[in-house]
Every structure is written in C-alpha cells, then in structure tokens.
Amino acid sequence: MNRAPSVILGMCSYTHDSSAALLVDGELIGFVEEERLSQRKHTKDYPRHAVKWLLSEAGLTAADVDAVAYNFRPAHYLAESPAALRLALSPTTRDLALPRARGFAKVALRTQLRTRALGRRFPSSRVSPVLHHRAHQLAAFAASGWNESAVLIVDSLGERQTTTIARGQDALHPSTRTLEAINDPASLGYVYGAVTEHLGWRRGDEEGTVMALAALGDPERFRHLFARAVRTTPTGFSLDPACFPPRVLTSGYPRTSRRFIAATCPERHPSEPIQDVHRDLAAALQERTEQVMLHLARRARTITGSRRLCVGGGVATNCVSMGRIIEAGIFDEVFVPPTPGDAGTAIGAAIAVHTGSRSRSRRPVSGVARACYLGPSYQHQALDLTPWPGLQHKTLGVESAEFLADQLAHGMIVGLFQGRVEAGPRALGNRSILASPLEPGVVERLNATVKFREPFRPFAPMVLAERAAEFFTLGQEAPYMSMASGVTDEARERVPAIVHANGTSRLQTVTRSQNAFMHDVLSAFARRTGVPVLINTSLNVKGKPICGTPAMALDCLANSGLDALLLEGQWITK
C-alpha cells in the first residue's frame, strides 16, 4: 500500500511568479511568493527564500521533504510538437510550423531538467510533476471550501492547455475531473498579453493597466475586429491566426500580425502619450474578453450542472470579467481564490500529490479553505531604524485601530504592515496603503506621489461586509478583491473616489473572522465619518512587489509620499 507523503513541498519555479507551499500531513503550513522576500517582482528564480521560511516554520530540513510537487509536466509539452506541423497546411501559418514544433520540444526538455534540478535539492524526496491546469483547478477549488462546484481555468498556457472546465468534489479530499479542454493556440490570456505589449505595457505584469484604460475608450471602433479575431464556438473559442499568429516558445516571434497592426495602430512605446486609439483598442479587447468569459461560464454551467463556480488562471485576475459573470446570474455564487495566477499552483500541485496517493490513511486537506494570510509574520522582530535615520517612531497601545482610523479620517495616507503576508496579487489589509475616500484629490495624490503610476488607474475600496450592500451591488462577498461590482447611488454621492470610469469598483468585503484588525479600523472610521469604506491599495510603488518584509515597508515609506507607516504596532513617520 502506498503511503501519502507526510511532507510535500509545492513549487512554482523557473517560469514567473515563483512561490512555494508546504503541506505536512495534509495541513497547509504556509505559502508565499518569492518576490515578497527577494524584492524581485515576478521573479522566476528558484524560491529559496520561500522554501527556507517554510521549512523553518515547520521545524524541518530539506532532508525531511518526502515529495516535491512541481506545477508542470514536461512530457505534455512534447505532444504539441507533432501537432504544430499541421500549421504547415496553411499559408498564413506555414512559416511558424517548424519553429513552434522545436519550441515546444525544447521547453519539454528544459522542464525535465528543471525537475531533476529540484530533485538534487531534496535528495530524500521524489519529484512529482503535476499537470498545470490540474494544479490551478485544485488551488481554486480547495480554497473555496465547497463540496462541489464547476471549475473554470483560463490562462495563457499550461503545457498545451489554455482553458479547462472541470468539476470539483469533496472539501476534505479535493479532486477535480476535467470535462473539456481547449489547447493552444486558442488562448485568451495570450491575446490579452499580446495587446498589452502592443499598447506599451509589460506583458505578464501590466494587464491590469490595460483593463483600467479600457474604461476610458469606446469599443465600437475595433469591436468587429475582435469578434473576428477571437471567435466563439459551441464549446469555447478560437483565434484567427491572421491577427494573432500561433505562439512560438522562442523569443523574437511577434504576437500580433502586420494585419492586426494595420487595422489598429503602430506599437506604442512606453514613453509615448496615450491616445484615443489606444483607449479604444483596450476597450474592445476588454469587451471581447468579458464576452468570451461569459460564454465559457455558461458552458461550464451547462456541462457540469453545478450552481457554484470557481475561477482560476491568469485571466481570473480580470476583475471586471468576474463581475460580469456574477451579474449575469449564471451561478448562485462565484469564487476566485486569493492566488488565481501561477503562484497559486504551488498549493494546487501539493494538494494533487497529497490526494493522489492511494493510501486510505491520507489525512484531509486543511488550512487552505478561505485562507489568504499564509506568509511570514514579523510581529516579534525588534524594530531597527538605523538604515533610515530620517524616520521616527512611537509605540501604540491597544487602541491602535482607533488611532489609525482617526489619522485616516484627518486625511493621512498610511501604510499598514501587520501579521502574515497575504497570498496573491492583492493587498488584503496586512500589507496595504490606506486612505480616506472622502479626502479631496486623494486618487490624484496616491497615483502621483505614492504609487508613481498612471493617473487613470483606479483605487479599490474595502468595506465592512455587513454594510457592503449600501454601496455595492455585487450581491455576494468578495474577500480577495478579485471582483468588480456596480455601485449604488449612495456610493456615487458619498465616495465617488472609489468609482472607476466604467461605474464599477474592485471591492474587498471585510468580516471580523477574516481580519479582525481591519474590521475594527473600518468600524472606527465609520463612527467618525459615517462611511464604512476605505481606499486600500498594495504597500508598494509601481514596478516593485508588495512589501513582504519590514525593511521593504520602511523603504517604501522613506521613498514615497506616504505620510506614515503602522508596522506591528509601531507608528513611524518621516
């Protein structure tokens, strides 16, 4: 009889958004993205800081690891090499057939070498490659805590797959069964990344900027182009290679065609001003993405019969699309995990190895459902301001929530660093920048002097869950800031600063059980102002990762327009 490994290290490494997760007897000890500790945003490096912290947290060494769960399966890349040769049959794609076949074969070999390298780091363990979309599925479904749901994964590429619809079952021993899959080159994530790059922003990093810009444009100008370029089919969608050439896993091959450029605009350099054509192109891209995501959600409802939906993959970070799915009423409830992107597959891969054992003695998975504060904490670390001589501090007492709310109500912009690091791309009250939405010019000030980013970028609100319906129309909880909601007339009247140009807000609902301190801050702010809403953005500046360590947070305070930082009960000012 096989024995379920008692110590499983889940790994996302060597591609982008490196991370690690640790399961011990089925319990999630922790999870953290490497960038939070290394200060290198979207790093693809082996997550040595993350692994070191996890093993230390559990009191283990590398020799204690029974299995390393890796978030890709090398052999599945190989299947695309012979399939790529079919591109030779079309004059549009003929020149890409051989480079594509070679590229997938090369990545298969490279991935195999990476799994061997991981094995050498953990000599007592076996390395278990996990199909990428299965890791996504399990990360999303297990985080929901549900016993059953449809699971929709939409990303750029996982081996060959770009979109899968599965059914998830069993909250204690999560499992998923893929019912339908769409393979590359049909990839919604690929299209969004390609247009993001075309518009002058970093693919794989700044798609959210394009989503924000879309609210300022008119999709009509390029609506028909995207309807042709991204066609829906009865079971999904397909791409027109005349607009978006099939991907080649080698640098130097364009992601948009000359025909696409002629029909839209030349590539924009990041230093060039944003024009109406750029706004309109972003708007048409976003509109088509929402339409296709709605189509896929309806397909998931049809083939699973489920009344609940989990969504994961990089495209799940498109919060406006998530809001559209909820508004459509296709499902009773929609769930997006705190880590829908590749970093979260470290958790899913570990779960796959744990639940994949045939041992009847394997323990239930715990610590994953509805958990988002999973990284390191520095509550007991002594404060040393020696590297920042211009900073001053004082220790707050038990009334720190009241004190913070009062400072915010008087117009201060404050960084907050408390407890364990959040999982995923959103700051959820432990590594946040907070501001009053009632302060005149607060959005302009945040963008210009604190975040150093584009002036059209909106800021997300956090709200007491019990009062969310007064300001937002979403109709369900949104604990991880992953869904855009419509707003009520009261929101438009009292807190217009949190309403984007498209009439939505990417909200975070806060319950006492999720984050007691932030619930206290919001309650105290509401007593002072009558509004249970704060602006919440991540504790970082543009181009930097969310601050995972005290040193990173202090650097952020010293080098930005923040007024103060509340760091584990210490009030720090310049």
Side-chain angles (χ1 to χ4, degrees):
M1 180 182 296
N2 292 335
R3 180 181 67 85
S6 60
V7 180
I8 303 172
L9 185 63
M11 194 83 69
C12 172
S13 183
Y14 307 124
T15 52
H16 58 86
D17 295 317
S18 288
S19 65
L22 185 66
L23 284 183
V24 176
D25 289 331
E27 179 186 359
L28 182 64
I29 301 301
F31 161 87
V32 67
E33 289 107 318
E34 179 70 4
E35 68 169 27
R36 304 288 201 273
L37 308 177
S38 71
Q39 304 188 45
R40 295 185 60 191
K41 192 173 185 181
H42 298 305
T43 181
K44 64 180 181 179
D45 293 344
Y46 168 77
R48 62 184 183 89
H49 296 89
V51 171
K52 180 180 178 181
W53 170 72
L54 286 166
L55 294 177
S56 174
E57 187 78 357
L60 301 171
T61 68
D64 297 314
V65 176
D66 297 306
V68 176
Y70 188 54
N71 64 335
F72 288 100
R73 294 191 71 176
H76 280 249
Y77 284 101
L78 282 176
E80 186 57 35
S81 287
L85 298 179
R86 69 186 182 276
L87 299 178
L89 301 176
S90 168
T92 304
T93 57
R94 184 176 297 150
D95 293 342
L96 297 177
L98 284 176
R100 180 175 166 92
R102 285 195 299 266
F104 273 83
K106 183 178 179 180
V107 171
L109 175 60
R110 184 188 305 153
T111 306
Q112 181 63 39
L113 294 174
R114 287 167 175 169
T115 62
R116 292 176 183 172
L118 289 174
R120 289 192 292 272
R121 290 179 180 270
F122 302 93
S124 303
S125 72
R126 72 174 188 273
V127 179
S128 298
V130 175
L131 195 66
H132 190 69
H133 269 234
R134 185 166 181 241
H136 269 307
Q137 292 165 1
L138 287 167
F141 178 67
S144 74
W146 293 336
N147 247 344
E148 183 277 335
S149 80
V151 184
L152 172 63
I153 306 299
V154 187
D155 66 0
S156 180
L157 181 67
E159 294 97 10
R160 301 178 71 198
Q161 295 174 330
T162 68
T163 306
T164 53
I165 297 173
R167 186 173 184 189
Q169 291 183 297
D170 196 343
L172 295 180
H173 301 91
S175 67
T176 58
R177 182 166 64 92
T178 299
L179 304 177
E180 286 186 352
I182 299 173
N183 287 344
D184 199 67
S187 171
L188 199 56
Y190 180 82
V191 168
Y192 214 104
V195 179
T196 295
E197 197 168 60
H198 185 80
L199 287 171
W201 284 285
R202 292 187 300 274
R203 172 172 49 86
D205 181 29
E206 297 185 290
E207 282 82 355
T209 303
V210 174
M211 183 178 65
L213 181 66
L216 307 180
D218 181 359
E220 171 63 28
R221 185 172 184 174
F222 299 114
R223 180 174 289 147
H224 297 298
L225 171 66
F226 276 97
R228 293 194 310 270
V230 188
R231 302 186 186 97
T232 55
T233 67
T235 58
F237 65 97
S238 63
L239 301 188
D240 182 356
C243 288
F244 298 101
R247 102 175 67 212
V248 176
L249 297 179
T250 306
S251 60
Y253 287 87
R255 292 180 171 235
T256 53
S257 69
R258 280 179 285 189
R259 180 182 298 185
F260 178 86
I261 294 170
T264 57
C265 61
E267 292 185 13
R268 172 183 165 269
H269 189 273
S271 63
E272 294 176 356
I274 298 169
Q275 301 176 2
D276 285 344
V277 67
H278 304 131
R279 299 181 185 92
D280 294 347
L281 185 57
L285 167 70
Q286 178 62 30
E287 180 184 75
R288 192 56 178 162
T289 299
E290 294 167 24
Q291 291 168 349
V292 174
M293 289 298 289
L294 277 168
H295 178 62
L296 292 170
R298 292 190 177 98
R299 182 65 183 167
R301 176 78 174 88
T302 298
I303 68 173
T304 64
S306 299
R307 301 199 63 82
R308 286 171 162 173
L309 174 68
C310 295
V311 191
V315 182
T317 60
N318 191 292
C319 63
V320 179
S321 292
M322 298 304 102
R324 295 283 184 258
I325 292 172
I326 294 167
E327 290 172 354
I330 304 166
F331 293 89
D332 294 343
E333 191 172 358
V334 176
F335 177 81
V336 180
T339 55
D342 274 13
T345 59
I347 299 175
I351 293 172
V353 173
H354 176 74
T355 59
S357 168
R358 297 175 185 174
S359 172
R360 296 179 183 176
S361 64
R362 73 182 189 275
R363 298 188 180 185
V365 171
S366 62
V368 179
R370 306 289 167 158
C372 64
Y373 305 110
L374 298 171
S377 170
Y378 300 85
Q379 289 174 300
H380 304 296
Q381 180 174 306
L383 179 64
D384 179 11
L385 294 181
T386 305
W388 303 273
L391 301 183
Q392 304 170 2
H393 78 100
K394 67 178 180 179
T395 302
L396 301 182
V398 294
E399 298 299 317
S400 56
E402 292 284 345
F403 179 86
L404 176 57
D406 192 63
Q407 300 304 307
L408 294 169
H410 282 88
M412 292 192 78
I413 296 177
V414 182
L416 177 61
F417 185 108
Q418 60 151 356
R420 299 185 71 168
V421 178
E422 297 97 330
R426 315 295 185 206
L428 302 172
N430 280 17
R431 302 291 186 274
S432 291
I433 293 174
L434 305 176
S436 167
L438 306 173
E439 189 70 13
V442 65
V443 169
E444 292 77 10
R445 184 182 165 200
L446 278 166
N447 274 326
T449 68
V450 179
K451 300 289 283 188
F452 305 115
R453 66 184 198 181
E454 297 83 0
F456 58 82
R457 295 278 295 274
F459 286 95
M462 61 194 323
V463 60
L464 289 172
E466 59 268 30
R467 294 188 61 183
E470 298 175 33
F471 297 87
F472 306 101
T473 62
L474 192 66
Q476 69 164 68
E477 288 192 354
Y480 308 129
M481 204 188 286
S482 49
M483 301 151 180
S485 170
V487 300
T488 64
D489 290 340
E490 181 157 358
R492 291 188 185 91
E493 180 182 342
R494 302 191 69 183
V495 285
I498 56 90
V499 183
H500 193 34
N502 60 4
T504 71
S505 293
R506 188 187 71 201
L507 80 156
Q508 177 195 359
T509 55
V510 180
T511 63
R512 176 167 291 280
S513 60
Q514 178 191 350
N515 193 320
F517 181 78
M518 277 314 312
H519 193 274
D520 287 346
V521 173
L522 285 163
S523 299
F525 186 79
R527 287 194 296 272
R528 287 164 171 77
T529 65
V531 174
V533 179
L534 285 169
I535 288 174
N536 172 26
T537 187
S538 55
L539 183 58
N540 68 326
V541 297
K542 184 180 178 181
K544 298 286 188 179
I546 294 175
C547 298
T549 68
M552 293 168 71
L554 290 165
D555 273 339
C556 187
L557 170 63
N559 297 298
S560 75
L562 279 177
D563 294 317
L565 172 69
L566 178 56
L567 192 157
E568 300 296 2
Q570 300 291 324
W571 183 252
I572 306 170
T573 55
K574 300 175 185 178

